[in-house]
Amino acid sequence: MVELIAENLAPIMFAALVVFLLAGYPVAFSLAAVGMMFFVVGVELAPYSNGVINLSWPLLGTLPERIYGVMTNETLLAIPFFAFMGLILERSGMAEDLLETVGQLFGTVRGGLAYAVVFVGALLAATTGVVAASVISMGLISLPIMMRYGYDARFATGTIAAAGTLAQIVPPSLVLIVMADQLGRSVGDMYTGALIPGLMLAGFYAFYVFLVSTFAKKAAPGLPPEALGFRQPDGSRGYLSLAVLTFASGVIAWLVMRGSSYHGADFVILTLGVAVAIAFAVAVSSFVLRRVGHSRLLSPLAEQVVFVMVPPLLLIFLVLGTIFIGVATPTEGGGMGAVGALLLAAAKRIADRNPKRFNFEIVRSAAEATAKLSAFVMFILVGARIFSLTFYGVNGHVWVEHLLVSLPGGAVGFLIVVNILVFFLAFFLDFFELAFIIIPLLAPAASALGIDLIWFGVILAVNMQTSFMHPPFGFALFYLRSVAPRRSYIDKITGRTMAPITTGQIYWGAVPFLFIQCLMVGLLIAFPGLVRHDKAPSPAEIRQRVNEPVARQIAPSGTGQIELPPYPPAIPGAPPPDTSGPGAPTLDFSVPPVVIRPGEQ
């Protein structure tokens, strides 16, 4: 019986972790407690395990070094930088400006406010990378406006929650940083691979808004004409001016960049950066001409759109552009983004002459929230290190790998089963916990099946979005519940009594978007080409490339000698060096015979 327990300690250990988590203990402490408890058990049972358990008391001395390695991980340093950047932008009122301006841009189009929420959600995702900041800010700002103009409560809440979760997959997502660290891949490659799926997911959300506004017109009405602003003197909206500016800026940017050596995502990001710079220069010129008494170059709507959109877009190009083209590492890009967010918030305060845009209290609260998030991540990672020390010592990784590799269907069967597993685990665990507990167990099996780990990571990142949208445990739903009105209230503009938002409405509104996320996972599995990146060679491929030239130089006689190029090199007009004599430059790797003398056995 003891031998049976010793040889199957890995599944028992994993089951114990599940029991601790279901009992409600914090994840970080559950990981550490299970790891230490089973370390003691494993050391005592090691003599009865037939070599399965490789634990001993001296191995415990490596634990401080493993924990110190977590603290000195430069990749994870990008997490507080990006979190601080997003919190500063959210607290400085950028989301409010974006939602108001983009909502005005869509005007009387049915579902215009919902389109604005999806668009701003994607933009906030690319500048903040923090789901909580996106959902809470959009819930506070756009939900009352959508209710005022007659949007269906379920449709409005589902759109806001889903748009906020785009921060999970659109770079610079925090989960992609953690995923790259756990899979041992470059954060830049993970960002590049996730760019197209993230934009596609935003496009699917917008398509769902189109379907609802087309077939359920009462659920997503357009803005009434009296709610529209930024009109020209003749009463027109000025869309032509904005369209001409957009087209001209894009064409000029493409002409400027078409001769460059960049391609793919690098080319797109840099071209968009040039286009934004051109549009901003034109908008500033129009503003200056208007202030000195001349006629403006752009319509009021076009000016407002450019001045509101440029700050977040500039930050996107500053962060993602430098990472994609290789100028900065993700950690350095995050540092630049944090500084850039402070500068943009300060500039917004000066331009609007509003101290509430940027002050010490905003910086203090953002720094405090960043410290809490960073401590949360570090504690989970330290607990995961303790757990993995023991789990690997009882050959748990081998048990998991054999279990998953033997699934029917090969790589496709593995991906289907793993995604179903992650989908259901997302009911109880958030993405940080999934990334630190599950991913290290899945990565060896995925690598053994020949699965590209960047592709695998992006699929799981999209799947982990569902952890924010799962009724009844989705964190995005909780964030929205915290800011949605629980009781009837009087609308400040219309004076009408507005009905409260129920928890059931929030849950039902999330269900269609949950299906869209699952559909995106299926598309990524079926079409791996959607995840585009420069595939780095695996360690085995590197070893093969290093060994191939050496193997080709081994003498065909099989003597074990490797022939080196002639030395000294040939000089024009001089006779070639003699490489046939006893001084020929060769390395002898043949093994001399072993002689055992009497008494040395």
Side-chain angles (χ1 to χ4, degrees), residues 438-514:
I438 303 301
I439 302 304
L441 302 179
L442 301 179
S447 183
L449 289 169
I451 296 173
D452 177 25
L453 291 184
I454 297 293
W455 175 46
F456 183 60
V458 171
I459 292 174
L460 292 185
V462 175
N463 197 339
M464 286 181 188
Q465 274 191 298
T466 60
S467 69
F468 283 92
M469 297 291 289
H470 273 315
F473 305 108
F475 286 92
L477 308 182
F478 291 154
Y479 298 147
L480 190 57
R481 174 70 279 176
S482 67
V483 297
R486 295 177 179 270
R487 289 182 286 272
S488 301
Y489 65 97
I490 305 298
D491 184 73
K492 296 179 180 179
I493 304 299
T494 62
R496 292 186 292 116
T497 300
M498 308 301 295
I501 303 295
T502 66
T503 303
Q505 289 173 326
I506 296 176
Y507 287 169
W508 280 110
V511 172
F513 294 95
L514 195 61

Side-chain angles (χ1 to χ4, degrees), residues 331-418:
T331 302
E332 294 165 347
M336 288 191 296
V339 175
L342 291 172
L343 295 177
L344 288 178
K348 195 67 177 175
R349 168 179 173 162
I350 295 172
D352 295 351
R353 298 178 182 178
N354 184 0
K356 293 183 179 179
R357 291 287 192 178
F358 183 68
N359 50 49
F360 177 76
E361 179 59 27
I362 288 177
V363 178
R364 187 201 63 79
S365 61
E368 181 179 342
T370 302
K372 289 180 179 178
L373 175 65
S374 302
F376 169 73
V377 172
M378 287 298 108
F379 265 97
I380 291 179
L381 193 50
V382 168
R385 290 293 188 193
I386 298 173
F387 180 84
S388 65
L389 176 67
T390 304
F391 196 68
Y392 278 64
V394 298
N395 271 333
H397 60 297
V398 177
W399 168 68
V400 172
E401 182 175 342
H402 288 172
L403 184 68
L404 295 175
V405 171
S406 59
L407 290 171
V412 175
F414 166 80
L415 289 173
I416 293 173
V417 171
V418 164

Side-chain angles (χ1 to χ4, degrees), residues 171-172 187-195 262-270 316-330 534:
V187 177
D189 284 346
M190 193 68 74
Y191 279 176
T192 304
L195 186 60
Y262 298 106
H263 61 280
D266 303 355
F267 179 82
V268 173
I269 291 290
L270 293 176
I316 292 171
F317 302 137
L318 175 67
V319 175
L320 294 185
T322 54
I323 293 174
F324 282 172
I325 66 177
V327 174
T329 65
D534 296 329

Side-chain angles (χ1 to χ4, degrees), residues 34 53 59 86 90 101 134 173 187 198 315 397 546 553 566 572 582 598:
V34 171
I53 299 177
L59 188 62
E90 181 258 330
T101 302
S134 300
S173 162
V187 177
L315 206 57
H397 60 297
V546 171
Q553 294 180 40

Side-chain angles (χ1 to χ4, degrees), residues 418-429 434 463 466 470:
V418 164
N419 278 281
I420 293 174
L421 172 67
V422 171
F423 180 83
F424 283 106
L425 287 176
F427 277 94
F428 313 103
L429 304 174
L434 287 170
N463 197 339
T466 60
H470 273 315

